[in-house]
Amino acid sequence: YQWQPPTSGGGWVEVDAITCESISGRQRFCPADVGRGEVRLVEQLSRGDCTFGSTWGYDRRGIWVDRGCGGVFTEAYRPS
């Protein structure tokens, strides 16, 4: 998995989308290389709320979802 090259304009560069869903209300971890940026929820797929820090979040290893949250997430970073 490699980061896409920077785009012109110095804004955020988004990389491949990741679908991650909590199944039966249980916490799930979806591995992803997010060490260089941040994660954004771009589409909620579940009926349950997806609230950052409560039912979804991320760390350097990937994205986690919990309590029925499911969605499409994208990783984004600012080129240096």
Side-chain angles (χ1 to χ4, degrees):
Y1 174 99
Q2 297 203 359
W3 292 94
Q4 294 179 353
T7 60
S8 61
W12 287 92
V13 175
E14 291 188 357
V15 295
D16 295 333
I18 297 168
T19 300
C20 192
E21 298 179 89
S22 167
I23 299 170
S24 298
R26 296 184 180 180
Q27 188 175 50
R28 182 171 180 204
F29 183 79
C30 300
D33 181 10
V34 295
R36 292 181 55 193
E38 67 179 44
V39 174
R40 298 175 184 180
L41 174 65
V42 292
E43 181 181 358
Q44 183 170 323
L45 302 175
S46 61
R47 287 186 188 174
D49 276 348
C50 288
T51 304
F52 179 72
S54 177
T55 56
W56 78 273
Y58 65 96
D59 61 25
R60 294 178 61 86
R61 300 169 299 135
I63 302 163
W64 59 268
V65 291
D66 200 3
R67 298 189 301 250
C69 172
V72 177
F73 301 86
T74 186
E75 303 164 63
Y77 74 98
R78 281 187 191 231
S80 38

